[in-house]
């Protein structure tokens, strides 16, 4: 098998950075997320490949939190679009876990299928390569196995790396992956190493049947109870690898300006407020329910897979201990009268 | 802590049985000791779910905002900082005192369940010590300032050393250094607005950041819009922040929000004081900047 010695990791990242902007898991000051390797500063940043994961998922690489769309000039009643900011510069995500790769696959469904293509997403994603990092030691909050994710063999990866002591086993998975492998081929060695065994998951949860059952539970009293502690802050949606909702807004200075999109959250009142002032999800409970129904029911209905990838982030960052696993359990246990 | 839990349960049971409250706000444990969350008991039958342990750090006075439009009579448990939050809501006319039954718990300093969850997550590069929460080390008022019933004896303040030491450090920087410092820390804000959502003083019905017609603050995550967000948030806190530290505790990117809040606390006291927000409830009282006094400084105008 091909392996990359860990001592050569930085050289490999430098080399890969010649052809693409490489995003790696890092601790950067108070932030923990995927950041550009070019921005890495030895004195203050720390590479986090040895950690289970980082707080901010890599989704921002293909769906940036703020993204300029096009420039506008007005002349009288005429409106001209004078520039389109499609960004197709090559990017490479290095070391994403299977759950996070699944998040990007879910976004692919949304932005590239069902007769609808988002040009901005497409431009980025077509020039994006994913090097996934196989997991052998699930963390306390991981439950990807229950959400159609295989932690050891991440679907959708162009290359999979596997930690085996001093080296990463390097497995090419796709054509795009081959190009990347070729780029650093002089750093790879042939060596047979032993791969670790997948450890056990601490969370025991079963998603089977949950989407179907939820169809009958829109008005179930359970939502009142479980949404009570939530403060509708939206942290969970921003750290989630698969939450993709955005808002399109405009900035104008006189007769010039631009449109941009920015992440938005179903947890916010303003997100579902309509132009006329009405709001179909005016109550906090309704917004809370939307998040979990979207994750566990609606996406499954439309795309045949859940929108939660089991990464466990929301359960770590929620200030009010809202826990999606407990919600799945509660749904399974709930009594429904039909 | 077990004794406090028992006492709270006893009080809550009594309040439900005597029909003095419709809901009782406390905490529930959902897993390991640090997995605690706000809990809204609705009847005496729910009371056995209530716990109080050293991770019950959440400021439950913020949850009162969920009830401001109703007529439910509410019992709730508060620590020192949380009780100052109640004063904030009373001064802001958000809820009537008669609707509340306040159970005070003098605090010996809490542990941060988020820090514990992060340590357990496998995401951290460095383990945080789960001793007393950061915010509690700055605490000047561990004892509830308003209550109907108090559980246990009062405790001395936790703050050791000089108050505002970090603020003074920043004040001593040159203007350029200071600007750079704030640009650095604020540029990382992901604008999740969690700091607003957990804040008891953020009690406006329509928040300026949600206004769309016109839109006052842009939604781009860049230095300009982030700074605008933080300047507006901070100035709305001047004289109103009760120093519960929840905003900084929940921030997912560790923005030092308390540094900004404490600068305002210090300035309001220096310029318009002596003033400390939410330290006592006097009917009709208003926060420092909500009233006008001829002696107020105006040389900056
Ligand atoms: S579930 Fe938690 S993180 Fe998400 S909006 Fe509610 S309180 Fe915030
Ligand atoms: S809902 Fe929570 S556990 Fe599921 S993918 Fe999003 S952050 Fe991860
Ligand atoms: S800030 Fe003070 S009152 Fe609040 S939890 Fe900490 S020690 Fe207790
Ligand atoms: S909680 Fe932190 S990241 Fe979120 S808006 Fe506030 S300062 Fe920004
Ligand atoms: S600004 Fe922060 S410290 Fe002040 S009252 Fe709000 S949440 Fe508490």
């Amino acid at each position: 098998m091909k392996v990359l010695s860990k001592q050569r990791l930085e050289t490999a990242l430098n080399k890969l950075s010649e052809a693409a902007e490489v995003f790696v898991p890092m601790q950067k000051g108070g932030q923990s997320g995927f950041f550009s390797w070019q921005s890495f500063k030895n004195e203050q940043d720390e590479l986090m490949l040895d950690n289970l994961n980082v707080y901010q998922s890599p989704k921002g690489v293909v769906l940036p939190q703020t993204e300029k769309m096009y420039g506008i000039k007005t002349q009288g009643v005429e409106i001209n679009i004078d520039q389109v900011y499609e960004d197709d510069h090559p990017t490479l995500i290095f070391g994403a876990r299977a759950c996070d790769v699944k998040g990007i696959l879910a976004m692919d469904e949304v932005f590239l299928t069902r007769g609808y293509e988002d040009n901005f997403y497409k431009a980025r994603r077509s020039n994006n390569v994913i090097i996934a990092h196989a997991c052998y030691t699930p963390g306390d909050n991981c439950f990807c196995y229950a959400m159609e994710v295989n932690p050891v063999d991440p679907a959708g990866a162009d290359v999979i790396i596997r930690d085996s002591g001093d080296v990463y086993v390097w497995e090419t998975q796709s054509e795009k992956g081959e190009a990347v492998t070729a780029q650093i081929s002089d750093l790879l060695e042939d060596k047979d190493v032993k791969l670790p065994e997948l450890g056990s998951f601490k969370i025991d949860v079963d998603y089977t049947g949950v989407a179907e059952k939820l169809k009958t539970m829109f008005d179930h009293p359970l939502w009142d109870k479980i949404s009570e502690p939530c403060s509708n802050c939206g942290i969970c949606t921003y750290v989630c690898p698969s939450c993709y909702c955005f808002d399109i807004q405009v900035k104008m200075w006189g007769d010039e300006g631009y449109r941009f999109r920015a992440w938005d959250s179903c947890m916010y009142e303003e997100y579902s407020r309509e132009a006329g002032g009405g709001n179909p999800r005016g109550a906090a409970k309704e917004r809370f329910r939307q998040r979990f129904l979207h994750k566990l029911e609606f996406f499954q209905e439309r795309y045949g897979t859940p929108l939660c990838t089991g990464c466990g982030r929301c359960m770590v960052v929620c200030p009010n201990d809202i826990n999606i696993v407990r919600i799945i359990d509660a749904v399974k246990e709930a009594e429904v009268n039909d | 802590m077990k004794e406090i839990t028992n006492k709270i349960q006893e009080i809550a049971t009594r309040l439900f049985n005597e029909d003095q409250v419709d809901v009782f706000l406390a905490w529930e444990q959902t897993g390991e000791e640090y997995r605690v969350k706000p809990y809204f008991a609705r009847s005496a039958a729910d009371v056995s779910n209530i716990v109080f342990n050293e991770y019950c750090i959440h400021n439950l006075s913020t949850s009162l905002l969920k009830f401001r439009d109703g007529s439910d009579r509410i019992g709730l448990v508060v620590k020192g900082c949380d009780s100052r939050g109640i004063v904030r809501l009373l001064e802001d006319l958000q809820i009537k005192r008669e609707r509340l039954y306040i159970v005070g718990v003098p605090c010996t300093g809490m542990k941060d369940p988020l820090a514990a969850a992060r340590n357990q997550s496998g995401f951290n590069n460095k383990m945080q010590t789960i001793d007393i929460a950061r915010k509690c080390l700055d605490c000047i008022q561990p004892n509830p300032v308003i209550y109907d019933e108090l559980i246990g004896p009062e405790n001395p303040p936790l703050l050791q050393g000089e108050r505002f030491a970090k603020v003074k450090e920043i004040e001593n920087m040159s203007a350029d250094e200071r600007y750079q410092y704030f640009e650095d820390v604020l540029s990382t804000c992901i604008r999740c607005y969690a700091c607003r959502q957990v804040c008891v003083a953020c009690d406006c019905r329509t928040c300026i950041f949600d206004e769309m017609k016109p839109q006052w603050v842009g939604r781009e995550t860049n230095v300009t819009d982030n700074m605008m967000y933080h300047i507006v948030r901070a100035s709305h806190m001047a004289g109103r922040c009760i120093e519960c530290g929840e905003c900084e505790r929940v921030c997912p990117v560790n923005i030092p929000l308390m540094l900004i809040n404490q600068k305002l606390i210090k300035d309001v006291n220096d310029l318009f004081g002596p003033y400390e927000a939410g330290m006592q409830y006097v009917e009709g009282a208003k926060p420092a900047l909500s009233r006008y006094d001829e002696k107020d400084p105006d040389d900056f105008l």
Side-chain angles (χ1 to χ4, degrees):
Chain A
M1 44 180 95
K2 290 252 179 279
V3 302
L4 173 70
S5 150
K6 286 192 180 172
Q7 283 179 349
R8 291 179 169 177
L9 177 64
E10 298 205 355
T11 320
L13 291 173
N14 288 338
K15 196 122 196 200
L16 293 171
S17 298
E18 288 167 12
E21 187 174 10
V22 176
F23 291 85
V24 277
M26 260 189 230
Q27 178 76 37
K28 213 175 187 28
Q31 283 183 298
S32 140
F34 283 77
F35 300 99
S36 184
W37 174 243
Q38 280 97 325
S39 75
F40 186 84
K41 291 198 193 76
N42 254 326
E43 337 62 270
Q44 60 180 59
D45 301 338
E46 199 178 327
L47 205 53
M48 302 278 277
L49 278 166
D50 288 340
N51 285 57
L52 178 70
N53 214 335
V54 281
Y55 292 114
Q56 286 171 263
S57 85
K59 72 175 170 188
V61 176
V62 284
L63 187 72
Q65 178 157 13
T66 302
E67 176 174 34
K68 239 187 210 185
M69 301 174 84
Y70 46 84
I72 312 162
K73 265 205 181 106
T74 59
Q75 263 182 328
V77 292
E78 290 270 299
I79 298 179
N80 291 310
I81 293 181
D82 61 356
Q83 202 173 347
V84 180
Y85 297 101
E86 268 170 33
D87 182 348
D88 59 0
H89 86 279
T91 54
L92 186 152
I93 299 170
F94 191 100
R97 299 294 189 175
C99 49
D100 287 354
V101 181
K102 170 78 188 292
I104 293 177
L105 296 185
M107 292 197 291
D108 287 351
E109 295 284 350
V110 176
F111 292 116
L112 302 173
T113 72
R114 306 297 193 277
Y116 172 78
E117 269 185 11
D118 182 290
N119 291 348
F120 300 94
Y121 184 86
K122 195 178 174 190
R124 286 178 192 276
R125 184 68 173 108
S126 325
N127 290 296
N128 162 251
V129 177
I130 299 176
I131 299 185
H133 188 186
C135 288
Y136 292 98
T137 318
D140 283 13
N141 300 288
C142 297
F143 60 104
C144 55
Y145 74 91
M147 307 315 279
E148 301 179 7
V149 173
N150 181 340
V152 177
D153 285 307
D158 299 301
V159 173
I160 298 176
I161 56 171
R162 305 178 186 280
D163 193 327
S164 174
D166 303 337
V167 299
Y168 290 111
V169 172
W170 185 277
E171 278 173 20
T172 309
Q173 301 284 312
S174 71
E175 241 172 74
K176 276 184 185 174
E178 273 163 28
V180 173
T181 304
Q183 224 187 311
I184 58 152
S185 56
D186 55 332
L187 299 174
L188 299 175
E189 302 156 74
D190 277 310
K191 193 172 175 188
D192 273 330
V193 296
K194 213 169 125 33
L195 285 175
E197 300 252 319
L198 174 61
S200 58
F201 281 87
K202 300 216 175 58
I203 291 182
D204 177 17
V205 64
D206 181 11
Y207 171 67
T208 329
V210 168
E212 291 69 33
K213 187 162 180 193
L214 279 170
K215 279 186 204 173
T216 64
M217 289 181 62
F218 192 76
D219 289 319
H220 199 281
L222 161 138
W223 298 114
D224 292 306
K225 193 83 200 153
I226 56 180
S227 69
E228 258 171 352
C230 169
S231 53
N232 288 92
C233 68
I235 302 183
C236 52
T237 56
Y238 280 12
V239 299
C240 178
S242 60
C243 275
Y244 53 80
C245 290
F246 60 84
D247 190 16
I248 296 179
Q249 300 196 351
V250 72
K251 274 198 186 162
M252 292 295 285
W253 290 266
D255 52 9
E256 265 183 53
Y258 57 87
R259 259 184 194 266
F260 65 94
R261 63 178 170 195
W263 292 354
D264 206 344
S265 170
C266 55
M267 284 291 186
Y268 302 156
E269 189 274 335
E270 177 249 308
Y271 174 78
S272 46
R273 195 192 306 147
E274 295 161 349
N279 194 334
R281 295 201 285 267
K285 173 190 92 178
E286 293 160 348
R287 300 198 287 280
F288 179 94
R289 178 177 60 195
Q290 166 62 26
R291 169 157 157 81
F292 293 99
L293 289 185
H294 190 198
K295 294 276 155 207
L296 304 172
E297 180 196 345
F298 305 150
F299 202 84
Q300 176 78 42
E301 277 170 26
R302 188 169 161 84
Y303 298 106
T305 186
L307 186 58
C308 170
T309 74
C311 77
R313 280 191 181 83
C314 53
M315 305 176 337
V316 178
V317 296
C318 176
N320 296 301
D321 187 40
I322 302 290
N323 181 306
I324 190 166
V325 171
R326 283 206 309 270
I327 293 177
I328 295 175
D329 287 343
V331 168
K332 295 204 86 143
E333 280 161 25
E335 281 178 39
V336 225
N337 340 312
D338 15 30
Chain B
M1 293 286 167
K2 189 80 191 97
E3 278 155 44
I4 300 178
T5 302
N6 291 342
K7 192 75 193 148
I8 293 172
Q9 290 190 354
E10 205 181 293
I11 295 170
T13 309
R14 190 189 78 222
L15 293 174
F16 281 119
N17 288 342
E18 291 175 358
D19 190 26
Q20 290 198 54
V21 296
D22 301 297
V23 58
F24 190 88
L25 313 186
W27 294 268
E28 179 189 29
Q29 191 172 336
T30 63
E32 296 91 332
E33 207 193 0
Y34 66 85
R35 300 243 189 226
V36 283
K37 68 177 200 318
Y39 180 65
F40 300 12
R42 303 275 174 182
S43 71
D46 290 342
V47 166
S48 59
N49 295 328
I50 292 175
V51 293
F52 186 84
N53 68 22
E54 48 200 347
Y55 289 99
C56 294
I57 198 168
H58 320 73
N59 181 351
L60 296 181
S61 66
T62 312
S63 300
L64 288 174
L65 288 168
K66 297 196 184 212
F67 296 91
R68 66 179 154 187
D69 290 327
S71 55
D72 281 346
R73 296 156 306 158
I74 308 151
L76 80 163
V77 183
V78 292
K79 307 176 291 295
C81 52
D82 314 341
S83 73
R84 295 173 65 190
I86 294 183
V87 175
R88 164 64 40 257
L89 295 177
L90 294 172
E91 285 179 356
D92 290 354
L93 307 177
Q94 295 303 305
I95 201 143
K96 288 219 157 62
R97 178 68 179 94
E98 310 79 273
R99 288 180 60 199
L100 306 178
Y101 191 92
I102 306 168
V103 179
V105 179
C107 184
T108 48
M110 291 286 157
K111 292 179 177 175
D112 183 356
L114 278 172
R118 286 173 188 190
N119 274 356
Q120 289 296 313
S121 68
F123 291 15
N124 268 18
N125 52 341
K126 292 181 198 74
M127 290 294 140
Q128 281 162 273
T129 42
I130 306 299
D131 228 344
I132 290 188
R134 252 285 303 130
K135 71 173 199 176
C136 295
L137 298 174
D138 285 338
C139 183
I140 56 162
Q141 185 60 43
N143 302 310
V145 298
I146 181 171
Y147 54 83
D148 294 297
E149 207 164 323
L150 192 66
I151 300 181
E154 303 211 327
N155 293 316
L158 278 107
L159 176 73
Q160 306 278 326
E162 197 194 354
R163 200 179 177 202
F164 305 132
K166 179 80 184 158
V167 173
K168 287 175 190 155
E169 212 176 282
I170 305 277
E171 283 173 347
N172 288 334
M173 289 178 171
S174 72
D176 284 346
E177 280 170 348
R178 218 167 25 235
Y179 190 86
Q180 193 56 48
Y181 173 80
F182 282 110
E183 185 173 298
D184 287 349
V185 294
L186 298 182
S187 62
T188 65
C189 169
I190 61 170
R191 303 282 293 284
C192 63
Y193 297 159
C195 47
R196 169 190 73 177
Q197 290 305 100
V198 297
C199 177
V200 63
C202 282
D203 56 24
C204 295
R205 280 182 189 268
T206 309
C207 171
I208 179 171
F209 307 119
D210 290 341
E211 288 252 352
M212 297 304 286
K213 290 188 264 179
Q215 187 184 35
W216 301 99
V217 179
R219 264 292 265 294
E220 284 179 287
T221 34
N222 57 25
V223 175
T224 320
D225 286 0
N226 286 5
M227 282 219 180
M228 189 66 185
Y229 169 69
H230 282 281
I231 289 167
V232 175
R233 192 203 70 86
S235 53
H236 285 193
M237 286 304 125
R240 307 186 60 255
C241 167
I242 49 86
E243 226 184 334
C244 69
E246 282 293 272
C247 48
E248 181 172 295
R249 184 177 75 83
V250 303
C251 176
V253 294
N254 300 318
I255 297 202
L257 289 154
M258 287 313 287
L259 186 60
I260 302 173
N261 293 333
Q262 284 180 334
K263 166 71 176 160
L264 292 164
I265 291 169
K266 179 171 172 285
D267 281 1
V268 169
N269 181 57
D270 292 349
L271 296 166
F272 304 94
Y275 181 77
E276 196 72 65
M279 288 300 244
Q280 55 179 33
Y281 178 56
V282 182
E283 219 178 314
K286 288 279 163 220
L289 299 187
S290 301
R291 51 193 165 74
Y292 172 73
D293 189 328
E294 281 193 359
K295 292 200 286 297
D296 283 346
D298 57 6
D299 44 346
F300 48 83
L301 287 180

